[in-house]
């Protein structure tokens, strides 16, 4: 009996899967259309999401709003994880004054401007606060995409922009915590904000310190066992574990993802993991932005068209002007400042996340989210044009400004580079404060973990409290020693002790550290024993510290060396050179990769003569794990070599064009294009030269397989054979290139 081809039986497919399919289809269409239009893909995702949303009935739509929110939240997690991989906390310490001053001046200005613009439009207080924060954070995704598409990543101002974005990302994380506190308490209590900041600082420090200590070591130990698949799974698992930790202690899951990304960014596997995670990031990034577009209500946009226009203008001009002024204040030239300012003239992913936070906490109005998305969409569209016209704008302003103003800016820029002196006393104070803060956080965290996890586990056993106290003290001992007795800023402290007036303050600093250590010992013992027993244990603990100082010292230094090795491992491997050494001039360093299809591959630096032709110098070549510093003229370039050059913006642009010009066409050839051809030599310029000197092989990628000379035929001739007039040459290779060469 034949079964019917079709039956009435239907298989139930969860709405979540249907919605994901629709989201990915709309994202794919957006990629194709907006790539063709040469517009930012983020804008395409937003438009695609808008068209596929339940508010737009001309196309298939997502059925459940809850599905959209779930996918958007997953997208945020992986988006911020990838941002953390690119911008580590250690990079924040290296961005310097320029990026910090630029970002902080711009953020403060836009916070105030956004708040009062909201007030002028009659919005409620909480809407105005969120609006100020939303307008103060530029879009890393949109800017980096625009830099890639415009080919300006090698220009000097780009490092200023990226540094400012790093600072903005950290401030955005901080703002999310503060806004959550304000939203929950519904008041601007200074004590509540201070507690939130303290809590954030505590957990960030603990996560970063423990992450740097354990994760690079773990990856190093497992390196021989790890395949790409395993490394990807471990990376995503670490990300999601930190997401859970962040949520458990009351922070945003996005914060946890960002933190784990920043920790992994310090490992040797960072670039490898970033490469593996990129498809996941692209997938969930697309899902996030499409989901954001789906949450736009068209009726709201019509009603609030005027606020959208106003806020768009405020964002473009406010961000540009405030960033330009901030960069000028940091000591950069007028041109660099304008280029930096105009690049930062948009809002993006963090603005969406902050707007989503306000909506999820139910403290902002329904209209704020679609307005923010609309402003972001418009500014995403204008960003490439702002970057493109930044240099002409800077040139125009330089011509129009009075010469004495330009002169004063140049003098200020030069002088600001030299203001770097710090007094010896300031260095000592800073070192002592850092020492106390760092080890206090570590010790407090260990006591907290012991109290909440170790003690409940052992307290039902005989002498359980004593065992828990002993384990805790042994773990704490190296850190207590470092807090109380480790010498810091040795040279500066010795210099201060030569002056009698500083002798007393230095002794006070040392005694203060010892007292804080004793306080922590008492705090720890108080969790395990009654006051009388705790006092006895306190005396025993002090005696133990005094009897075994060398062993404790040795143990601490092993821990410290492991941490410092892990922290600097990636940097020591790559040994990156500071790119800002030529900041008083227009020269800077830029990195390029020799394309696998480049005809420069295999040639020496002497042969390509880039210094003579373009004026740039090659500082170093990175070839896999090999670093070649200040290469000689005999050094050859190979496919996929990473080279760092030094030059001005114009020279760097010329070098980029030079590399592109020497990139061979990578066209797929079929059998009809590869042919055996014969040519008679009549007036070609290479007559009288050897086959090697004629460069037939290099230029045509062809092979001379035969020559007829004075009636004598030679198969597979030697490269030193001289080509003569009226010779007939047989060449096999690309038909078009060979024909062009012999014509």
């Amino acid at each position: 009996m034949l079964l019917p081809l079709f039956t009435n039986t239907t298989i139930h497919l969860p709405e979540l899967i249907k919605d994901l399919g629709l989201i990915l289809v709309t994202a794919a269409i957006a990629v194709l259309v907006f790539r063709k239009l040469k517009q930012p893909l983020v804008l395409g995702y937003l438009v695609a999401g808008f068209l596929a949303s339940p508010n737009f009935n001309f196309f298939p739509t997502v059925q459940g709003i809850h599905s959209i929110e779930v996918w958007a939240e997953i997208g945020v997690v992986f988006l911020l994880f990838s941002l953390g991989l690119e911008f580590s906390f250690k990079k924040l310490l290296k961005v310097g004054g320029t990026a910090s001053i630029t970002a902080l001046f711009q953020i403060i200005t836009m916070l105030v401007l956004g708040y009062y613009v909201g007030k002028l439009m009659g919005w409620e207080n909480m809407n105005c606060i969120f609006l100020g924060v939303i307008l103060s954070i530029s879009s890393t995704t949109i800017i980096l995409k625009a830099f890639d598409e415009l080919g300006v990543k090698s220009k000097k101002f780009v490092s200023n922009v990226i540094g400012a974005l790093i600072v903005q990302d950290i401030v955005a994380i901080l703002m999310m915590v503060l806004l959550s506190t304000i939203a929950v308490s519904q008041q601007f209590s200074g004590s509540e904000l201070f507690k939130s900041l303290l809590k954030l600082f505590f957990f960030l420090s603990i996560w970063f310190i423990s992450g740097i200590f354990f994760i690079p070591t773990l990856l190093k130990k497992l390196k021989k066992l790890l395949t790409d698949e395993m490394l990807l799974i471990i990376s995503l698992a670490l990300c999601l574990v930190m997401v859970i930790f962040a949520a458990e202690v009351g922070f945003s899951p996005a914060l946890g993802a960002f933190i784990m990304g920043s920790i992994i960014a310090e490992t040797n596997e960072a670039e490898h993991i970033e490469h593996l995670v990129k498809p996941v990031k692209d997938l969930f990034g697309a899902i996030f932005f499409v989901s954001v577009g789906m949450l736009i209500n068209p009726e709201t946009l019509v009603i609030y068209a005027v606020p959208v226009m106003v806020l768009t203008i405020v964002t473009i001009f406010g961000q540009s002007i405030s960033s330009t002024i901030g960069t000028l204040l940091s000591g950069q030239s007028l041109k660099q400042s304008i280029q930096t300012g105009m690049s930062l003239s948009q809002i993006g992913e963090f603005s969406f996340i902050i707007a989503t936070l306000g909506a999820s906490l139910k403290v902002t109005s329904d209209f704020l989210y679609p307005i923010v998305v609309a402003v972001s969409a418009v500014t995403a569209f204008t960003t490439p044009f702002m970057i493109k016209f930044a240099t002409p704008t800077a040139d125009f302003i330089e011509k129009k400004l009075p010469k004495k103003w330009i002169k004063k800016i140049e003098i200020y820029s030069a002088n600001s580079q030299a203001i770097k002196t710090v007094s010896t006393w300031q260095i000592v104070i800073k070192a002592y404060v850092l020492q106390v803060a760092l080890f206090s956080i570590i010790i407090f965290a260990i006591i907290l973990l012991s109290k909440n996890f170790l003690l409940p586990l052992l307290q039902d056993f005989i002498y359980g409290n004593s065992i828990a106290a002993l384990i805790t003290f042994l773990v704490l001992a190296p850190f207590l020693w470092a807090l109380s007795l480790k010498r810091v800023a040795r040279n500066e402290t010795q210099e201060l002790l030569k002056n009698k007036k500083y002798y007393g303050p230095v002794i006070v600093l040392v005694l203060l550290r010892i007292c804080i250590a004793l306080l922590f010992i008492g705090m720890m013992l108080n969790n395990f024993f009654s006051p009388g027993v705790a006092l006895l244990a306190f005396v025993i603990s002090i005696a133990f510290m005094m009897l075994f100082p060398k062993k404790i010292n040795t143990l601490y230094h092993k821990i410290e060396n492991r941490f410092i090795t892990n922290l600097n491992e990636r940097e020591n491997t790559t040994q990156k050179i500071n790119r800002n050494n030529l900041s008083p001039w227009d020269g800077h360093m830029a990195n390029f990769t020799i394309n696998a299809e480049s005809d420069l591959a295999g040639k020496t630096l002497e042969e390509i003569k880039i210094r003579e032709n373009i004026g740039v110098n090659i500082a170093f070549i990175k070839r896999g794990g090999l670093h070649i510093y200040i290469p000689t003229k005999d050094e050859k370039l190979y496919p996929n070599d990473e080279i760092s050059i030094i030059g001005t913006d114009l020279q760097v642009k010329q070098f980029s064009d030079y590399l592109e010009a020497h990139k061979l066409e990578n066209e797929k050839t079929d059998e009809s294009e590869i042919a055996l051809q014969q040519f008679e030599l009549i007036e070609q310029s290479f007559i009288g030269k050897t086959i090697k000197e004629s460069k037939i092989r290099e230029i045509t990628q062809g092979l001379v397989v035969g020559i007829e000379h004075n009636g004598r035929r030679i198969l597979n001739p030697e490269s030193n054979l001289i080509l003569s007039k009226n010779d007939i040459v047989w060449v096999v290779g690309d038909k078009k290139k060979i024909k062009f060469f012999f014509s």
Side-chain angles (χ1 to χ4, degrees), residues 523-537:
M523 180 192 299
M524 182 269 293
L525 294 173
N526 188 54
N527 292 325
F528 301 101
F529 305 112
S530 61
V533 178
L535 182 60
L536 177 62

Side-chain angles (χ1 to χ4, degrees), residues 233-268:
I233 292 170
I234 290 173
S235 303
L236 297 182
L238 290 171
C239 168
L240 294 177
V241 166
M242 187 60 80
V243 164
I244 295 169
F245 282 166
E248 286 294 320
V249 297
F251 293 130
S252 163
L255 171 63
F258 186 85
I259 297 298
M260 183 50 68
S262 70
I263 291 170
I264 293 177
E266 306 300 346
T267 69
N268 260 347

Side-chain angles (χ1 to χ4, degrees), residues 124-128 130 179-180 182-186 354-366 368:
E124 294 180 0
N125 208 35
M126 198 60 73
N127 285 331
C128 296
F130 271 81
L179 288 174
S180 300
I182 293 172
V184 170
S185 63
Q186 289 292 315
I354 292 167
T356 305
L357 178 67
S360 63
L361 294 173
K362 302 188 186 307
V363 294
T364 56
S365 302
D366 294 337
L368 183 62

Side-chain angles (χ1 to χ4, degrees), residues 1 28 33 95 106 121 160 163 200 234 236 248 288 295 348 379 432 466 512 536 539 550 658 675 682 684 725:
M1 180 178 177
V33 174
V95 296
Q106 174 254 324
M121 292 190 292
N160 296 340
L200 176 65
I234 290 173
L236 297 182
E248 286 294 320
F288 169 68
L295 295 173
T379 54
Y432 272 73
S466 300
L512 182 63
L536 177 62
V539 175
K550 288 185 178 180
Y658 176 80
I682 301 174
Q684 284 83 355
K725 190 175 182 179

Side-chain angles (χ1 to χ4, degrees), residues 129-269:
I129 293 170
F130 271 81
L131 179 64
V133 176
I134 286 166
L135 296 187
S136 66
I137 308 297
S138 302
S139 172
T140 302
T141 303
I142 293 171
I143 290 173
L144 293 182
K145 200 72 175 174
F147 282 167
D148 259 338
E149 292 171 354
L150 295 173
V152 298
K153 288 186 77 173
S154 56
K155 290 195 173 182
K156 186 180 178 183
F157 78 92
V158 171
S159 61
N160 296 340
V161 174
I162 292 175
L165 289 172
I166 294 171
V167 178
Q168 284 189 12
D169 288 346
I170 300 299
V171 173
I173 293 290
L174 176 62
M175 291 290 186
M176 288 169 63
V177 176
L178 295 181
L179 288 174
S180 300
T181 304
I182 293 172
V184 170
S185 63
Q186 289 292 315
Q187 59 182 351
F188 306 97
S189 168
S191 60
E192 287 294 325
L193 292 179
F194 179 75
K195 286 179 184 176
S196 296
L197 282 173
L198 202 61
K199 182 181 176 184
L200 176 65
F201 178 73
F202 174 76
F203 280 105
L204 285 182
S205 302
I206 287 301
W207 287 337
F208 185 71
I209 293 167
S210 57
I212 291 296
F213 186 80
F214 291 108
I215 291 175
T217 304
L218 174 68
L219 293 177
K220 197 187 303 179
K221 297 287 186 186
L222 298 176
K223 187 172 183 178
K224 293 181 179 178
L225 302 175
L226 289 178
T227 62
D228 284 357
E229 180 184 2
M230 291 173 63
L231 188 59
L232 175 62
I233 292 170
I234 290 173
S235 303
L236 297 182
L238 290 171
C239 168
L240 294 177
V241 166
M242 187 60 80
V243 164
I244 295 169
F245 282 166
E248 286 294 320
V249 297
F251 293 130
S252 163
L255 171 63
F258 186 85
I259 297 298
M260 183 50 68
S262 70
I263 291 170
I264 293 177
E266 306 300 346
T267 69
N268 260 347
E269 298 295 325

